[in-house]
Amino acid sequence: MKESLVRHLVCPECHGPLTLAVDVREGQEIERGLLRCGPCARDYPILRGVPRFVDTDKYVGSFSFQWNVHRTTQVDSLSGHAESGKTFLMKTGLTGSELKGKLALDVGCGTGRFMEIAAELGAEVIGLDLSFAVDAAYTNMGRRSGIHIVQADVFKPPFRPATFDAIYSIGVLHHTPSTREAFLSLPPLLKPAGVIAIWVYVWSGLYSQRLDRVRSLTVGLPERLLYGLCWVFVPLLHAFAWIPILGRLTNYIPASNQKRGLAWDVMDTFDVYSPRYQWKHTEPEVAGWFKEANLKEIKILNFPVSVRGRQAGT
């Protein structure tokens, strides 16, 4: 954690200011220390370079497992591809002109794949995640200039109102107990005229019904068991897809087949079948949340369901 991060943080419980006590520092990074709230006498540890505003990863244990196993799979600079950069633009519409010199919040930062893109576009970026994916993100990105990582709950974000110029969340909010409530916790954090962009899963009728039918059998499985099963069944389903009769199974047991290698497809399939929560939404529904938050310039992007809007200016 960089000491400069403290100016953006408050106690998530009482919103009081935090004071910093450093135990171990390595260069610009505080590896271990404490953030203390004077008004409510709460302490928040800094462990392995990350301030921790939660004691547990609650309902996102599958992501703690997934992103520490696949720490580098989706990170452009560590995997030699450009998928994250393409996805970031397609699902947020955010450009360098909107991010350069700005402070951005990545909600559900995972391994830091999109933080890297936002930082390359010139933003100072704070990544927030409830899961222990923050450890993978810190290894990948945490020591880079202008990048900060926080383990915290989106429903109790440790930031003052009107802190950020831009907020984005790509494929995360639908994994909370309430996608709508998670989203509505974010616009108050925007500065006047600040922009927010989210992508959440789309309701796809019969496909979504079949997916949820299989998920009803997989969600309760231990992460390691389910992950092992994905390594068995994903290549089988890929092979079955070429066999006329067996190929029908792929309609009833959807598995990722994105032509980016087996590890990516196994990870992606595990990502679908492991999370406790996985809501699907429609474009009018999500656009309605933006209206409910009194955001302006609401725009539905081409990749469903991707929506962005802007806080009213001063």
Side-chain angles (χ1 to χ4, degrees):
M1 179 190 125
K2 300 167 186 68
E3 192 165 347
S4 61
L5 175 61
V6 178
R7 71 182 187 274
H8 300 304
L9 298 175
V10 295
C11 173
E13 296 296 335
C14 75
H15 293 178
L18 301 173
T19 57
L20 173 66
V22 179
D23 290 334
V24 178
R25 187 192 296 266
E26 293 183 9
Q28 68 173 345
E29 294 295 325
I30 299 165
E31 295 293 328
R32 189 171 72 245
L34 194 70
L35 292 165
R36 178 163 294 152
C37 175
C40 71
R42 287 182 170 88
D43 291 338
Y44 302 100
I46 303 165
L47 301 173
R48 300 183 296 282
V50 178
R52 316 277 176 157
F53 292 95
V54 291
D55 297 323
T56 173
D57 54 2
K58 296 182 180 179
Y59 49 85
V60 291
S62 65
F63 293 109
S64 296
F65 171 81
Q66 174 181 331
W67 294 128
N68 280 289
V69 171
H70 287 274
R71 178 177 65 82
T72 64
T73 302
Q74 292 186 320
V75 179
D76 285 2
S77 66
L78 301 177
S79 298
H81 56 63
E83 294 300 325
S84 294
K86 294 174 186 175
T87 299
F88 183 84
L89 179 60
M90 180 170 55
K91 294 180 178 178
T92 70
L94 291 169
T95 62
S97 61
E98 292 177 300
L99 292 178
K100 188 174 182 179
K102 305 296 185 179
L103 181 64
L105 177 64
D106 182 324
V107 180
C109 65
T111 60
R113 61 184 294 211
F114 297 120
M115 296 178 70
E116 178 175 60
I117 306 305
E120 288 175 350
L121 292 172
E124 180 181 4
V125 192
I126 300 175
L128 177 151
D129 206 295
L130 178 61
S131 80
F132 291 108
V134 293
D135 294 310
Y138 186 75
T139 299
N140 289 342
M141 305 289 162
R143 293 176 177 82
R144 298 190 188 188
S145 177
I147 291 182
H148 315 275
I149 296 155
V150 172
Q151 187 177 16
D153 190 337
V154 67
F155 295 102
K156 292 184 177 181
F159 309 109
R160 295 182 181 85
T163 291
F164 296 97
D165 300 289
I167 298 174
Y168 62 87
S169 182
I170 303 173
V172 173
L173 300 182
H174 49 243
H175 292 309
T176 68
S178 169
T179 315
R180 171 183 167 273
E181 292 300 325
F183 169 76
L184 291 175
S185 71
L186 300 176
L189 303 178
L190 280 173
K191 293 178 182 177
V195 63
I196 181 169
I198 69 168
W199 172 66
V200 296
Y201 286 170
V202 63
W203 172 253
S204 299
L206 183 59
Y207 175 85
S208 294
Q209 291 175 1
R210 289 172 172 171
L211 192 77
D212 287 344
R213 196 173 297 126
V214 180
R215 274 181 44 78
S216 69
L217 303 174
T218 62
V219 168
L221 294 177
E223 283 95 4
R224 293 181 183 276
L225 173 60
L226 179 57
Y227 184 68
L229 290 173
C230 287
W231 275 103
V232 172
F233 283 101
V234 169
L236 280 176
L237 290 168
H238 285 181
F240 289 168
W242 297 95
I243 302 172
I245 296 176
L246 290 177
R248 296 176 185 174
L249 280 174
T250 62
N251 294 326
Y252 295 93
I253 309 175
S256 177
N257 192 357
Q258 301 197 36
K259 316 300 183 187
R260 296 170 186 153
L262 182 58
W264 187 301
D265 286 335
V266 167
M267 174 206 68
D268 223 20
T269 302
F270 178 83
D271 185 273
V272 167
Y273 290 119
S274 60
R276 182 184 304 181
Y277 299 108
Q278 188 193 96
W279 310 111
K280 289 92 171 170
H281 303 283
T282 66
E283 290 177 342
E285 178 186 14
V286 176
W289 304 339
F290 279 68
K291 293 174 185 176
E292 184 178 352
N294 295 316
L295 295 164
K296 313 300 180 186
E297 299 178 31
I298 301 168
K299 182 178 180 181
I300 297 174
L301 304 181
N302 290 332
F303 197 102
V305 173
S306 303
V307 184
R308 54 176 284 164
R310 191 174 296 276
Q311 189 73 283
T314 54

Coordinates of all heavy atoms in Angstrom, one line a residue, residues 1-3 5-6 9 18-25 28-36 43-54 135 138 149-151:
M1 N 0.8 -1.2 0.0 CA 0.0 0.0 0.0 C 0.9 1.2 0.0 O 1.8 1.3 0.8 CB -0.9 0.0 1.2 CG -1.8 1.3 1.3 SD -2.6 1.4 2.9 CE -2.1 3.0 3.4
K2 N 0.5 2.2 -0.8 CA 1.2 3.4 -0.9 C 0.6 4.4 0.1 O -0.6 4.5 0.3 CB 1.2 4.0 -2.3 CG 1.8 3.1 -3.3 CD 1.5 3.5 -4.8 CE 2.0 2.5 -5.7 NZ 1.3 1.2 -5.6
E3 N 1.5 5.2 0.8 CA 1.0 6.1 1.8 C 0.0 7.1 1.2 O -0.9 7.6 1.9 CB 2.2 6.8 2.4 CG 1.8 7.6 3.7 CD 3.0 8.0 4.5 OE1 4.1 7.5 4.3 OE2 2.8 8.8 5.5
L5 N -2.4 6.6 -0.6 CA -3.8 6.1 -0.7 C -4.6 6.6 0.5 O -5.8 6.7 0.4 CB -3.7 4.6 -0.7 CG -5.1 3.8 -0.6 CD1 -6.0 4.1 -1.8 CD2 -4.8 2.3 -0.5
V6 N -4.0 6.8 1.7 CA -4.7 7.2 2.9 C -5.6 8.3 2.7 O -6.7 8.4 3.3 CB -3.7 7.4 4.0 CG1 -4.5 7.8 5.3 CG2 -2.9 6.2 4.3
L9 N -9.2 7.3 1.8 CA -9.8 6.3 2.6 C -10.5 6.9 3.8 O -10.1 7.9 4.4 CB -8.8 5.3 3.1 CG -8.1 4.5 2.0 CD1 -7.1 3.5 2.6 CD2 -9.1 3.7 1.2
L18 N -8.9 8.2 8.9 CA -8.1 7.1 9.4 C -6.6 7.6 9.5 O -6.2 8.4 8.7 CB -8.1 6.0 8.3 CG -9.4 5.3 8.0 CD1 -9.3 4.3 6.9 CD2 -10.0 4.6 9.3
T19 N -6.0 7.1 10.6 CA -4.6 7.4 10.7 C -3.7 6.2 10.5 O -4.2 5.0 10.7 CB -4.3 7.9 12.2 OG1 -4.7 6.9 13.1 CG2 -5.0 9.2 12.4
L20 N -2.5 6.4 10.0 CA -1.7 5.3 9.5 C -0.6 5.0 10.5 O 0.1 5.9 11.0 CB -1.1 5.6 8.2 CG 0.0 4.7 7.6 CD1 -0.6 3.3 7.3 CD2 0.6 5.3 6.3
A21 N -0.4 3.7 10.8 CA 0.8 3.2 11.6 C 1.5 2.2 10.8 O 0.9 1.2 10.3 CB 0.3 2.6 12.9
V22 N 2.8 2.4 10.5 CA 3.6 1.5 9.6 C 4.4 0.6 10.5 O 5.1 1.0 11.4 CB 4.4 2.4 8.7 CG1 5.3 1.4 7.8 CG2 3.6 3.3 7.9
D23 N 4.3 -0.7 10.1 CA 5.2 -1.7 10.7 C 6.3 -2.1 9.8 O 7.5 -2.1 10.2 CB 4.4 -3.0 11.1 CG 3.4 -2.8 12.2 OD1 3.7 -1.9 13.1 OD2 2.4 -3.5 12.3
V24 N 6.0 -2.4 8.6 CA 7.0 -2.8 7.6 C 6.8 -2.0 6.3 O 5.7 -2.0 5.7 CB 7.0 -4.3 7.3 CG1 8.0 -4.7 6.2 CG2 7.2 -5.1 8.6
R25 N 7.9 -1.4 5.9 CA 7.8 -0.6 4.6 C 8.9 -1.1 3.7 O 10.1 -1.3 4.1 CB 8.0 0.9 4.9 CG 7.8 1.8 3.6 CD 8.3 3.2 3.9 NE 7.6 3.9 4.9 CZ 6.5 4.7 4.7 NH1 6.1 4.9 3.5 NH2 5.9 5.3 5.7
Q28 N 8.3 2.4 -1.6 CA 7.1 3.2 -1.5 C 5.9 2.4 -1.0 O 4.9 2.9 -0.7 CB 6.7 3.8 -2.9 CG 6.3 2.7 -3.9 CD 5.8 3.3 -5.2 OE1 5.4 4.4 -5.3 NE2 5.6 2.4 -6.2
E29 N 6.1 1.1 -0.8 CA 5.1 0.2 -0.3 C 5.1 -0.1 1.2 O 6.1 -0.4 1.7 CB 5.1 -1.1 -1.1 CG 4.9 -1.0 -2.6 CD 3.5 -0.5 -2.9 OE1 2.5 -0.9 -2.2 OE2 3.3 0.2 -3.9
I30 N 3.9 0.1 1.8 CA 3.7 -0.4 3.2 C 3.2 -1.8 3.1 O 2.1 -2.1 2.7 CB 2.7 0.6 3.9 CG1 3.2 2.0 3.9 CG2 2.5 0.1 5.3 CD1 2.2 3.0 4.3
E31 N 4.1 -2.7 3.5 CA 3.7 -4.1 3.5 C 2.9 -4.6 4.7 O 2.0 -5.5 4.5 CB 5.0 -5.0 3.4 CG 5.8 -4.8 2.1 CD 5.1 -5.3 0.9 OE1 4.4 -6.3 1.0 OE2 5.3 -4.7 -0.2
R32 N 3.1 -4.0 5.8 CA 2.3 -4.3 7.0 C 2.2 -3.1 7.9 O 3.1 -2.3 8.0 CB 3.0 -5.5 7.8 CG 2.1 -6.0 8.9 CD 2.7 -7.2 9.6 NE 3.8 -6.9 10.4 CZ 5.1 -7.4 10.2 NH1 5.3 -8.1 9.1 NH2 6.1 -7.0 11.0
G33 N 1.0 -2.9 8.4 CA 0.7 -1.8 9.2 C -0.7 -1.8 9.7 O -1.4 -2.8 9.7
L34 N -1.2 -0.6 10.0 CA -2.6 -0.5 10.6 C -3.2 0.8 10.2 O -2.5 1.9 10.2 CB -2.5 -0.6 12.1 CG -3.8 -0.8 12.9 CD1 -4.3 -2.2 12.7 CD2 -3.5 -0.6 14.4
L35 N -4.5 0.8 9.9 CA -5.3 2.0 9.7 C -6.3 2.1 10.9 O -7.0 1.2 11.1 CB -6.0 2.0 8.4 CG -5.1 2.1 7.1 CD1 -5.9 1.7 5.9 CD2 -4.6 3.5 6.9
R36 N -6.2 3.2 11.6 CA -7.0 3.3 12.8 C -8.0 4.4 12.7 O -7.7 5.6 12.2 CB -6.1 3.6 14.0 CG -6.8 3.8 15.3 CD -5.8 3.6 16.5 NE -5.4 2.2 16.5 CZ -4.2 1.9 17.0 NH1 -3.3 2.8 17.5 NH2 -3.8 0.6 17.1
D43 N -9.9 -0.7 14.1 CA -8.6 -0.9 13.5 C -8.7 -1.8 12.2 O -9.4 -2.8 12.3 CB -7.6 -1.5 14.4 CG -7.2 -0.6 15.6 OD1 -7.3 0.6 15.4 OD2 -6.7 -1.1 16.6
Y44 N -8.0 -1.4 11.2 CA -8.0 -2.1 9.9 C -6.6 -2.5 9.6 O -5.8 -1.6 9.3 CB -8.7 -1.3 8.8 CG -10.1 -0.9 9.1 CD1 -10.4 0.4 9.6 CD2 -11.2 -1.8 9.0 CE1 -11.7 0.7 9.9 CE2 -12.5 -1.5 9.4 CZ -12.7 -0.2 9.8 OH -14.0 0.2 10.1
P45 N -6.3 -3.7 9.5 CA -4.9 -4.1 9.2 C -4.5 -3.9 7.8 O -5.3 -4.0 6.8 CB -4.8 -5.6 9.6 CG -6.2 -6.1 9.3 CD -7.1 -4.9 9.7
I46 N -3.2 -3.7 7.6 CA -2.6 -3.7 6.3 C -1.7 -5.0 6.2 O -0.7 -5.1 7.0 CB -1.7 -2.5 6.0 CG1 -2.5 -1.2 6.1 CG2 -1.0 -2.6 4.6 CD1 -1.7 0.1 6.2
L47 N -2.1 -5.9 5.4 CA -1.4 -7.2 5.4 C -1.0 -7.5 3.9 O -1.8 -7.4 3.0 CB -2.3 -8.3 5.9 CG -2.9 -8.2 7.3 CD1 -3.9 -9.3 7.6 CD2 -1.7 -8.3 8.3
R48 N 0.3 -7.9 3.8 CA 0.8 -8.2 2.4 C 0.6 -7.1 1.4 O 0.2 -7.4 0.3 CB 0.3 -9.6 1.9 CG 0.6 -10.8 2.9 CD 0.1 -12.1 2.3 NE -1.4 -12.1 2.3 CZ -2.2 -12.3 3.3 NH1 -1.6 -12.5 4.5 NH2 -3.5 -12.4 3.1
G49 N 0.7 -5.9 1.9 CA 0.6 -4.7 1.1 C -0.8 -4.2 0.8 O -1.0 -3.2 0.1
V50 N -1.8 -4.9 1.4 CA -3.2 -4.5 1.1 C -4.0 -4.1 2.4 O -4.0 -4.9 3.3 CB -3.9 -5.7 0.4 CG1 -5.4 -5.3 0.1 CG2 -3.2 -6.1 -0.9
P51 N -4.6 -2.9 2.4 CA -5.5 -2.6 3.5 C -6.7 -3.5 3.5 O -7.3 -3.6 2.5 CB -5.8 -1.1 3.3 CG -5.5 -0.9 1.9 CD -4.5 -1.8 1.5
R52 N -7.1 -4.0 4.7 CA -8.2 -5.0 4.7 C -9.3 -4.4 5.6 O -9.2 -4.3 6.8 CB -7.7 -6.3 5.4 CG -6.3 -6.8 4.9 CD -6.4 -7.6 3.6 NE -5.1 -7.9 3.1 CZ -4.8 -8.9 2.2 NH1 -5.8 -9.7 1.8 NH2 -3.6 -9.2 1.8
F53 N -10.4 -4.1 4.9 CA -11.6 -3.6 5.6 C -12.6 -4.7 5.9 O -13.7 -4.3 6.3 CB -12.2 -2.4 4.8 CG -11.3 -1.2 4.8 CD1 -10.4 -1.1 3.7 CD2 -11.3 -0.3 5.8 CE1 -9.6 0.0 3.6 CE2 -10.4 0.8 5.7 CZ -9.6 1.0 4.7
V54 N -12.3 -5.9 5.6 CA -13.2 -7.1 5.9 C -12.3 -8.1 6.5 O -11.1 -8.2 6.3 CB -13.9 -7.6 4.6 CG1 -14.9 -6.6 4.1 CG2 -12.9 -7.9 3.6
D135 N -4.8 -10.4 -3.2 CA -3.4 -10.9 -3.1 C -2.8 -11.1 -4.5 O -1.6 -10.7 -4.7 CB -3.3 -12.1 -2.3 CG -3.7 -11.9 -0.8 OD1 -3.2 -10.9 -0.2 OD2 -4.5 -12.6 -0.3
Y138 N -2.3 -7.6 -6.0 CA -1.1 -6.9 -5.5 C 0.2 -7.4 -6.1 O 1.1 -6.7 -6.4 CB -1.1 -7.0 -4.0 CG 0.0 -6.1 -3.4 CD1 -0.2 -4.7 -3.3 CD2 1.2 -6.7 -2.9 CE1 0.8 -3.9 -2.8 CE2 2.2 -5.9 -2.4 CZ 2.0 -4.5 -2.3 OH 3.0 -3.7 -1.8
I149 N -4.7 -1.1 -4.2 CA -5.6 -2.2 -4.0 C -6.1 -2.2 -2.6 O -5.4 -2.1 -1.6 CB -4.9 -3.5 -4.4 CG1 -4.5 -3.5 -5.9 CG2 -5.8 -4.7 -4.1 CD1 -3.3 -4.4 -6.2
V150 N -7.4 -2.4 -2.5 CA -8.1 -2.4 -1.2 C -9.0 -3.6 -1.1 O -9.8 -3.9 -2.1 CB -9.0 -1.1 -1.0 CG1 -9.8 -1.2 0.2 CG2 -8.1 0.1 -1.0
Q151 N -9.0 -4.4 0.0 CA -10.0 -5.4 0.2 C -11.1 -4.9 1.1 O -11.0 -4.5 2.2 CB -9.4 -6.6 0.9 CG -10.3 -7.8 1.0 CD -9.7 -9.1 1.6 OE1 -8.7 -9.0 2.3 NE2 -10.3 -10.2 1.4

